[in-house]
């Protein structure tokens, strides 16, 4: 029998039993679409996190107070520290030749008020360098200026949302803000796109680091961001930073220095693994669809017993009967997979429209693998019913009406 | 062209062995017209199935056109059925989703014959059966007589040596039955061997040679 005839005959059988064909296509399509959509979600999450980290700036070292014994594990964000990481420590790092910029960061929450309006806000105390290191854009005015980082000049920059809440439609530049028991002059408003690591930049207040330390009545920095001159110097700069702090801290290794790169690759690994896991779970639905195909094909063989008997009487060998039914199963799986792919891509496009900030994308391997697995299950689960048809006794098969 | 020697076929019904055919010796020449009659359950259908290689004998030997076809494997038996045997059934056995033309073309499709040639041969046979305007109709749009004529066209489209008809008029009214028999006889007149299984004496009486089977054995075999 010719391949084209085989295909045409299988198609005519699929058209002849519309309801069961539609149901099987639906099962296959849902399974493939599930793989496509779930992996796109995983991939979207991965890209989102990577983008967020990348927006932190390039060639970045992050110095955290406290020490982590493990390498590559998550940094101890809330660990107890034997010794404070101070502003003097941070400024000393400027002497290292591989370092281009240093931005100390202190962090806290205080009440912000203008006249009768007030709210709680996150305060970041830092220096002018923070703007370059974090690539921050201004909507209005300028960033804080700290020619002498140790001087607590009373100026501040605020996020858009706080600006709106504090001043409404009234111009606020040059006005005074009250932060707890201190006052500072507003010199700029952050652009609201500035958004990173889940911290909403339009809800923060940025002040000079010395001002923040007196405000929080603390010596301790939250972390120090160090921008290295080039990518190649990152490892050397990291060693130099650790050494320098050790000397300053009486020989104690009590800071953790993480490179942007290693954080990035760790998250990349974790989220990739998650995507694979999700794809594996979705693949189970493909196998379930395959079992369904097998069941329905078995019913089809029973329904078409007389037809199988006739085909045998007309001179089909058992091999040919097997091929006829397997072709049907493959066609079902292939068509179902195609519909599923289309539906999956459509769903991902809709998701992208709904959440434009998350870069959902279907990984090519997932699309290819789901189609291959669908076809493989088609063959595998089509084979058993096909063999049953091939073994039918034509005399018995034809005796039934 | 057909030689059966000591042919036997047994079935196990429950725990009882039933001899559907016992010790059949039969010799059939090319172009003969034979009716096989007998009460139901006598084994006449089994004989036809064995002749058509749909069923295998348990004993004896079967020669078809000089070739021993007693114990061919499934693929070989399928090839012989395709090339040498045409079946006509009581219940027509047309594929309901295929048009009349596609049903007739089915054996040629299974044999891998070129689609262009298939169309030509189908058209020719449709014309000769006065069914040329019915080619695109599905079986459920045809009358019983038309369906059986389509089935006969399918049986002869591969130009077989033997036509095996099992109660070909069993499901038809008298007039359609007559038409169908005339058609079969016309192919017999062209040289094809024709075997008709029936329990209707009027139909059996039309052939030249009558074989009567009772309890799986040939009771009488006479020419008229």
């Amino acid at each position: 029998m010719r391949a084209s005839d085989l295909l045409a005959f299988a198609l005519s059988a699929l058209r002849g039993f519309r309801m069961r064909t539609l149901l099987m296509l639906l099962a296959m399509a849902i399974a493939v679409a599930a793989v496509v959509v779930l992996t796109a979600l995983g991939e979207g999450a991965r890209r989102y996190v990577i983008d967020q980290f990348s927006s932190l700036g390039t060639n970045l070292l992050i110095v955290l107070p406290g020490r982590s014994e493990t390498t590559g594990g998550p940094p101890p964000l809330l660990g107890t520290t034997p010794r404070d990481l101070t502003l003097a420590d941070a400024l000393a790092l400027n002497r290292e030749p591989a370092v281009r910029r240093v931005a100390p960061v202190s962090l806290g929450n205080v009440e912000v008020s203008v006249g009768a309006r007030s709210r709680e806000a996150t305060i970041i105390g830092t220096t002018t360098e923070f703007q370059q290191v974090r690539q921050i854009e201004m909507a209005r005015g300028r960033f804080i200026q700290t020619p002498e980082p140790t001087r607590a000049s009373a100026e501040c920059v605020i996020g858009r949302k706080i600006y709106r809440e504090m001043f409404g439609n009234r111009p606020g530049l040059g006005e005074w803000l009250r932060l707890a028991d201190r006052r500072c002059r507003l010199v700029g408003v952050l652009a609201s796109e500035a958004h990173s690591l889940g911290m909403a930049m339009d809800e923060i207040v940025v002040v000079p680091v010395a001002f923040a330390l007196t405000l929080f009545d603390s010596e301790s920095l939250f972390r120090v961001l160090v921008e290295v001159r080039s990518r190649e110097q990152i490892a050397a700069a990291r060693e130099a930073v650790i050494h320098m702090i050790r000397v300053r801290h009486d020989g104690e290794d009590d800071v953790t220095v993480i490179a942007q790169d290693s954080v990035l690759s760790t998250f990349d690994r974790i989220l990739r693994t998650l995507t694979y896991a999700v794809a594996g779970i979705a693949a189970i639905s493909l196998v379930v669809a395959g079992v369904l195909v097998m069941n329905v094909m078995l019913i089809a063989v029973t329904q078409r017993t007389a037809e199988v008997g006739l085909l045998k009487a007309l001179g089909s060998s058992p091999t040919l009967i097997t091929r006829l039914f397997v072709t049907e199963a493959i066609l079902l799986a292939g068509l179902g997979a195609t519909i599923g792919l289309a539906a999956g891509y459509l769903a991902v496009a809709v998701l992208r429209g709904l959440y434009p900030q998350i870069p959902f994308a279907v990984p090519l391997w997932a699309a290819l693998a789901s189609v291959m697995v669908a076809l493989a299950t088609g063959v595998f689960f089509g084979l058993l019913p096909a063999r049953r048809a091939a073994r039918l006794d034509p005399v018995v098969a034809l005796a039934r009406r | 062209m057909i030689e059966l020697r000591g042919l036997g076929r047994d079935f196990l019904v429950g725990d009882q062995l039933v001899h559907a055919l016992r010790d059949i010796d039969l010799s059939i020449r090319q172009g003969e017209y034979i009716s096989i009659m007998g009460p139901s359950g006598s084994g006449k259908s089994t004989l036809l199935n064995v002749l058509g290689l749909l069923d295998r004998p348990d004993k004896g030997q079967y020669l078809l056109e000089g070739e021993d076809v007693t114990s061919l494997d499934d693929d070989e038996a399928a090839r012989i059925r395709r090339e040498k045997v045409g079946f006509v059934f009581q219940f027509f056995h047309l594929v309901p989703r295929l048009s009349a033309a596609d049903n007739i073309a089915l054996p040629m499709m299974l044999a891998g014959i070129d689609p262009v040639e298939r169309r030509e041969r189908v058209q020719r046979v449709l014309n000769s059966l006065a069914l040329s305007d019915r080619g695109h109709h599905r079986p459920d749009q045809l009358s019983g007589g038309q369906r059986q004529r389509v089935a006969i066209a399918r049986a002869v489209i591969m130009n077989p040596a033997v036509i095996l008809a099992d109660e070909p008029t069993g499901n038809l009214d008298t007039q359609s039955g007559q038409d169908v028999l005339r058609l079969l006889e016309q192919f017999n007149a062209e040289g094809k061997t024709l075997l008709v299984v029936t329990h209707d004496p009027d139909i059996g009486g039309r052939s030249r040679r009558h074989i009567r089977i009772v309890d799986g054995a040939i009771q009488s075999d006479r020419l008229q």
Side-chain angles (χ1 to χ4, degrees), chain A residues 1-2 5 9 12-13 16-17 304 306-307 310-320 394-395 398 400-401, chain B residues 49 54-55 74-75 78 81-82 87 89 91 93 95 97-98 106-107 109-115 118 154 171:
Chain A
M1 194 166 173
R2 291 155 173 268
D5 287 333
F9 191 80
S12 87
F17 298 86
R304 279 153 66 190
E307 181 185 323
L310 171 75
L311 289 174
K312 286 198 157 183
L314 296 182
S316 310
S317 62
T319 324
L320 183 52
V395 174
L398 283 168
R400 293 185 15 178
R401 288 195 58 183
Chain B
N49 288 333
L54 284 180
D55 203 354
D74 286 342
D75 289 2
R81 282 201 296 273
R82 195 160 63 217
F87 284 98
F89 307 97
F91 298 113
H93 283 304
V95 179
R97 60 176 185 275
L98 297 182
L106 205 50
M109 190 179 88
L110 296 173
I113 289 171
D114 182 74
R118 283 194 328 233
R154 182 182 64 194
N171 239 21

Side-chain angles (χ1 to χ4, degrees), chain B residues 153-213:
Chain B
R154 182 182 64 194
V156 299
I157 198 78
M158 290 293 286
N159 200 21
V162 193
I163 300 173
L164 303 174
D166 194 352
E167 304 275 10
T169 61
N171 239 21
L172 299 176
D173 60 73
T174 318
Q175 184 54 49
S176 307
Q178 294 289 326
D179 291 347
V180 160
L181 280 175
R182 263 200 298 278
L183 189 59
L184 287 170
E185 284 158 9
Q186 178 193 323
F187 284 109
N188 172 245
E190 288 170 15
K192 295 187 196 318
T193 310
L194 174 63
L195 277 87
V196 179
V197 164
T198 181
H199 55 251
D200 182 341
D202 287 345
I203 293 164
R206 296 167 68 117
S207 67
R208 234 176 72 74
R209 184 174 170 189
H210 310 274
I211 294 175
R212 186 168 173 81
I213 294 186

Side-chain angles (χ1 to χ4, degrees), chain A residues 375-396:
Chain A
L375 289 178
T377 49
V379 177
F380 183 77
F381 288 108
L383 216 55
L384 178 74
R387 296 179 84 109
R388 173 172 291 195
R391 275 201 308 267
L392 278 179
D393 180 354
V395 174
V396 177

Side-chain angles (χ1 to χ4, degrees), chain A residues 157-173:
Chain A
V157 165
I158 61 177
R160 258 197 178 157
K161 193 170 173 200
I162 294 194
Y163 182 75
R164 223 173 24 247
E165 287 174 6
M166 292 294 134
F167 297 101
N169 291 325
R170 177 160 78 79
L173 286 191

